[in-house]
Each structure stands twice: as C-alpha cells, then as structure tokens.
Amino acid sequence: NFEGVSAAVLGKDVVFNCAAYTSHPNSMSDPLMDIEINCKGTINLLEAARRFHPDTKIVHIGTSTQIGRMVRPEADELHPEFPVDIYSANKSASEKYVLIYGNAYKMRTTVVRLANNYGPRSCIKSADFGFMNFFIGLALQGREIPIFGDGKQLRNISFIEDSVSAMILASQSEAANGEVFFAVSDDQISIAKLSAQIAAHIGGKVRFVEWPKNREAIEIGDAVIQNQKVKKILGWSPQHGLAQGLA
C-alpha cells in the first residue's frame, strides 16, 4: 500500500525491507500475488523513499535461492542467477530495483542476502516460512521430521541474531551503499545431518520420504555460499554455531 508505506518512511533514518511473500510452492500456484508483494511492494517502498525521504538508508533483504541451481562450486555475489521458482525470480528482480534506485537517484541502498534463518520468534507452523523453522516446530512437538529424498543437498544455516547483526552493520556503513552481501554461515551442512542435529537437541525423529512432485520441480540441489565479501567490507562474521543456536 503506497500511502501506508509512504507514511512509514517519513522521518526514518533507516528502513529495513524484510517483508515478502515467502512460499516457493505458493508462488508457482499464485504468481500474481507474489509479484504484487515482492515486486510492486518493493517499488512502492523505493518510490516512497525517493519522493518523501530520499536521505533514508534502505537495507533490502535478498535470498540465497535467487541463484537457483549452481553453475560454480561455490556461490558469491557475482554468481549467475537462474532461479527455478517465481518467488526466487521476483526476489532477484526486487533486489535489482533497489540497486537501480540507489544508482539512478543517488539513494543509499544495500542488499543483504540471507539463507535459512532460524531462531526465536520464527513461524514454525508451515514450511512456507523456511524448512529449518518448520523442522524445529515438528521437533518441539515430538513429531516426525520428513526429509525429501536422501537429504544430501547442502545448505548454509543462519541463526537470526547473526543475520540481524549483518543488517545493522550494513545500515551503518557508507561503504555498503550500492553493494550486495551474502551474510551466511561459514560452513554448509546436509539437510539430513541438520535434521539429525535438530532431533538430537530438541526432539522428534527423522523420516526419509519421496519427493512431492511440486517440490522436486523447484529443488535447486546444493547451495554452497561463501561470505568473504561481508567479512571484508563490513567486518561481520557469524557468532553462533549450529549446536549453540539450537540450544
């Protein structure tokens, strides 16, 4: 809503754009809704800032899934993007809007790409808000944690406090203007091993199941992401290991 966003931007030194339509499967069944929120919503925010408070710093949240299937052994901020679902494509587009406005209108904009956040206050009732939090929700109830296929695909996992610290550092750094950062964990872990750790620390048990067709069609395989750029420019590094985060 442009009027609502405009009112929210007025007088703000920093705006963190964390709002999104986040379901990968739902973006395929309702792509226009995804466009309305992830694309038009971001344009509304950028236009509101440009018209009414162009000095505000905008930190936009991107996602690791923008890359799609990897074409290199590791992904950095310059890795080609071939997203495999509508959500990821629209997040890629919205990121580009942010960078275009920053360049064309001399606005202070930064993109922080996150990957598989988990931690307090997350939504644990649906996989639409991240498989990691959904698995934790199942574990808290002592239920089975379903793993599609063999679960060998690798993922970076991020504790929410680390992600927030990266966002705050980006908001305070002039060197971050016009830049994109992957703020992700140092290491990757397979979904099977991750699920075993969740069960060991919290509860439940792991069960391997066949891939649902709608999920298999948009699966990206391994996502091996590096974080050297954010360490070098912002001096950020993750402070929470998996065991500590789960505890």
Side-chain angles (χ1 to χ4, degrees):
N1 178 283
F2 181 73
E3 290 74 19
V5 170
S6 297
V9 166
L10 283 176
K12 301 301 187 297
D13 296 315
V14 180
V15 171
F16 296 98
N17 183 24
C18 306
Y21 186 75
T22 61
S23 172
H24 297 267
N26 288 354
S27 76
M28 301 296 287
S29 60
D30 193 359
L32 294 180
M33 175 64 77
D34 196 283
I35 291 170
E36 186 75 12
I37 296 172
N38 291 331
C39 292
K40 185 178 178 181
T42 301
I43 290 289
N44 279 341
L45 173 62
L46 292 166
E47 272 295 290
R50 181 183 72 84
R51 295 186 197 181
F52 305 121
H53 195 14
D55 291 334
T56 193
K57 173 69 175 273
I58 295 176
V59 179
H60 177 80
I61 303 307
T63 174
S64 60
T65 64
Q66 292 171 214
I67 286 177
R69 298 186 177 105
M70 295 176 58
V71 297
R72 299 174 185 165
E74 285 190 328
D76 61 8
E77 291 80 1
L78 298 178
H79 189 283
E81 295 179 44
F82 298 102
V84 300
D85 64 272
I86 298 297
Y87 162 75
S88 300
N90 288 335
K91 285 296 290 182
S92 179
S94 65
E95 172 185 294
K96 306 309 179 280
Y97 303 154
V98 171
L99 298 174
I100 288 168
Y101 269 70
N103 179 66
Y105 301 119
K106 308 306 177 189
M107 295 167 62
R108 297 184 301 142
T109 62
T110 302
V111 175
V112 178
R113 293 178 180 172
L114 303 178
N116 303 307
N117 292 284
Y118 72 101
R121 300 176 64 190
S122 60
C123 180
I124 61 175
K125 295 181 179 180
S126 169
D128 290 340
F129 300 98
F131 79 89
M132 180 76 174
N133 296 307
F134 181 55
F135 285 0
I136 290 172
L138 295 174
L140 288 167
Q141 301 171 71
R143 296 170 60 186
E144 288 187 337
I145 301 171
I147 306 301
F148 300 151
D150 58 18
K152 290 183 179 179
Q153 61 268 47
L154 298 173
R155 294 290 185 271
N156 291 76
I157 306 297
S158 300
F159 189 65
I160 190 62
E161 289 184 19
D162 290 331
S163 299
V164 170
S165 69
M167 293 159 55
I168 293 173
L169 285 171
S171 76
Q172 301 302 303
S173 170
E174 293 303 307
N177 294 340
E179 298 290 348
V180 175
F181 300 100
F182 268 124
V184 299
S185 58
D186 290 327
D187 303 310
Q188 299 79 35
I189 184 171
S190 73
I191 291 178
K193 290 182 179 179
L194 172 63
S195 304
Q197 288 292 308
I198 291 173
H201 282 84
I202 299 174
K205 61 180 181 180
V206 175
R207 182 168 66 94
F208 292 88
V209 300
E210 291 187 9
W211 276 97
K213 287 194 177 351
N214 66 328
R215 288 279 185 174
E216 189 173 24
I218 58 176
E219 168 59 25
I220 61 171
D222 289 341
V224 178
I225 302 166
Q226 58 155 273
N227 57 16
Q228 278 81 1
K229 181 179 178 181
V230 70
K231 288 181 173 180
K232 180 179 179 181
I233 295 179
L234 298 184
W236 175 89
S237 62
Q239 301 298 308
H240 299 81
L242 178 60
Q244 181 184 4
L246 289 174

